[in-house]
Amino acid sequence: VNGLQARTFGVWTLLSSVIRCLCAIDIRNSTLYYITLFTFFLALIHFLSEVFIYHTAALTIGVMAPLMVASFSILGMLIGLQYLEVEAQSQKKKN
């Protein structure tokens, strides 16, 4: 890894964390919710590709931790998505 790659990965990680924090603040914003869900899919795909396609990372705790966080977050957000859609429908009925 050179300096440019390390800084690019750092900025990507920072951007993902900002998006995730904004979603936590405004969880009823469906657009932000989908963008946040997409960031977890990107992280999962990135780490899986580094391990299984490019073979640049080994399945150590340093790689397994982000894989588990992304996987559980995707699962939780997909479950939460059902409640978000139900709430949006009930809001439409009220109006």
Side-chain angles (χ1 to χ4, degrees):
V1 175
N2 63 34
L4 175 61
Q5 291 171 323
R7 288 187 298 276
T8 301
F9 187 72
V11 169
W12 173 64
T13 303
L14 180 63
L15 177 61
S16 294
S17 65
V18 168
I19 291 170
R20 293 167 186 171
C21 287
L22 290 173
C23 183
I25 292 169
D26 186 12
I27 199 154
R28 289 180 176 85
N29 184 336
S30 61
T31 303
L32 191 54
Y33 196 89
Y34 283 114
I35 291 170
T36 304
L37 182 60
F38 184 68
T39 66
F40 284 114
F41 275 114
L42 279 177
L44 184 66
I45 291 167
H46 168 73
F47 283 102
L48 286 174
S49 68
E50 292 298 331
V51 171
F52 295 112
I53 296 173
Y54 302 113
H55 304 290
T56 55
L59 272 178
T60 61
I61 191 68
V63 173
M64 289 179 61
L67 286 173
M68 290 188 312
V69 168
S71 299
F72 289 131
S73 298
I74 289 169
L75 181 64
M77 289 191 76
L78 289 175
I79 292 168
L81 187 60
Q82 297 171 3
Y83 295 102
L84 187 66
E85 291 173 352
V86 167
E87 187 175 318
Q89 290 174 356
S90 68
Q91 288 293 330
K92 287 181 183 178
K93 288 181 183 178
K94 285 182 182 180
N95 293 336

